[in-house]
Amino acid sequence: MSTLDLACLLKDQPLSRYSTYEIGGTAAFLALPQTDDDIRAVLEAAQSHGLNPVFFGMGSNLLFPDRPSRETLFISTRSHRELSMSEERIYVSAGTPMSLLALVGAEIGTEDFDFCYLLPGTLGGGIYMNAKYFEHHISDFLDTVYYVDLDDLRQGIQSIAAEQCEFSYKRSIFQQKNWFITGAQLKFKRCPANPDALDPFLVHMDREKTAISSLSEFYDFYAGALDRLEARLGRTLGKMRGVIEDRTGKHHFDYPSCGSVFKNNYDIGEPIGRLADRLQLKGLQYGNAMISPVHGNVIQNRGGAKAEEILYLIHKVQDAFSKHYGFVPEPEVVVVPS
């Protein structure tokens, strides 16, 4: 492994710094590619060194292991940022934070991406999971997705039309394929009133400040960014203000978490959180992990929690649902194996 040497590669990194859960042991290798060429080099290095690549963005929808395998190369896209306008489309790289996409939309004069505001993940993760907030899915705005087939790196970056991506609630073709998303062309439902504002906005974009895993720091930064954007535009952005009210009302940023742990089961007709409330699971604690006292579908790290403690509560909820409701809720959080 001593010959593994890339400019974007870090060694012996605590994964807790790269996760909204603030959980995870030390990664022997962690890569932060900034360009498509970096991505290709990282993937080729993983293949040639027999390392297992694990991809993520801001670490917002996954649970890292307490003791990661030293044969794993963790690859975060958080530094891979590219946005460009082309006629009635905007290309967005996979590492672009979804919250930043919402601010970009407001800057260029469209409300299409307002629903992405305060979603703590990246576009790549949002596509993988078909991110949803109220009535909007990210797939509603996708035209083309770009990816690399990890089973055939020689093909380079390929594309697939959104209609072929098998999108449904919290599902996509990318969950079934060994593909790594690199970016996407997004379409507008309301064309931007000021598309020329994109380039000046990107000039002042701070790559480091916008790539935040700590939920409390994430909220502080993006709430402040909205204040500054409204001041510059001279108007209130009501939809994003509504997102703040909704998410702070649910205490989403009080403690490290992955957000919703389980997918809702629409055959049942009620959200998982509400069903958990009826079983009096809110506030249940194991070690330093706790089911949120205000939302039954959120498991919090109350300070120093381990992955095994989160997993204990996940299984506790599943067992309770199986016993009382006759079904086992499907996890939304991606559990990265050791």
Side-chain angles (χ1 to χ4, degrees), residues 62-277:
L62 49 71
L63 179 64
F64 285 129
D66 297 319
R67 291 168 291 279
S69 168
R70 294 191 64 82
E71 304 302 313
T72 300
L73 172 57
F74 292 88
I75 305 171
S76 171
T77 62
R78 67 183 61 209
S79 296
H80 185 220
R81 306 286 182 80
E82 182 182 342
L83 296 95
S84 59
M85 296 286 296
S86 175
E87 297 180 355
E88 296 181 357
R89 301 286 186 270
I90 181 170
Y91 173 80
V92 183
S93 61
T96 302
M98 296 192 72
S99 291
L100 182 62
L101 179 59
L103 298 180
V104 166
E107 186 75 38
I108 64 176
T110 180
E111 296 180 346
D112 281 359
F113 309 130
D114 283 6
F115 76 100
C116 295
Y117 183 62
L118 293 189
L119 291 179
T122 59
L123 179 67
I127 294 172
Y128 178 89
M129 189 56 69
N130 194 16
K132 176 181 183 292
Y133 183 66
F134 285 126
E135 73 273 19
H136 293 301
H137 292 81
I138 192 62
S139 58
D140 297 338
F141 299 90
L142 289 174
D143 179 78
T144 306
V145 181
Y146 300 93
Y147 67 94
V148 174
D149 185 343
L150 300 179
D151 295 325
D152 190 0
L153 298 182
R154 295 170 300 175
Q155 294 291 326
I157 295 177
Q158 302 180 66
S159 64
I160 182 171
E163 293 78 12
Q164 298 176 303
C165 290
E166 301 177 13
F167 286 117
S168 59
Y169 170 68
K170 300 295 177 70
R171 296 191 184 279
S172 74
I173 194 173
F174 303 100
Q175 297 171 24
Q176 314 302 323
K177 300 284 189 177
N178 195 23
W179 294 351
F180 169 52
I181 299 167
T182 62
Q185 290 279 356
L186 280 72
K187 58 191 177 183
F188 298 105
K189 294 188 176 181
R190 292 169 290 270
C191 290
N194 188 22
D196 292 339
L198 177 63
D199 288 341
F201 180 85
L202 296 180
V203 167
H204 299 289
M205 181 179 69
D206 189 313
R207 189 182 300 271
E208 296 302 322
K209 288 184 178 179
T210 55
I212 307 168
S213 289
S214 164
L215 287 179
S216 60
E217 293 178 14
F218 165 84
Y219 173 74
D220 289 344
F221 174 81
Y222 280 102
L226 181 59
D227 290 340
R228 293 188 294 273
L229 180 58
E230 288 179 331
R232 189 165 62 254
L233 297 177
R235 58 188 176 89
T236 299
L237 298 169
K239 290 186 179 180
M240 282 191 268
R241 286 292 167 191
V243 172
I244 288 180
E245 183 177 353
D246 175 61
R247 290 199 175 276
T248 56
K250 295 175 181 176
H251 300 271
H252 280 189
F253 308 108
D254 289 4
Y255 292 94
S257 77
C258 70
S260 294
V261 174
F262 300 102
K263 299 177 182 179
N264 287 319
N265 185 333
Y266 286 105
D267 291 335
I268 302 300
E270 291 189 81
I272 293 295
R274 191 174 300 165
L275 294 172
D277 293 350

Side-chain angles (χ1 to χ4, degrees), residues 50-66:
L51 296 175
N52 175 41
V54 170
F55 308 97
F56 66 101
M58 228 70 76
S60 62
N61 200 44
L62 49 71
L63 179 64
F64 285 129
D66 297 319

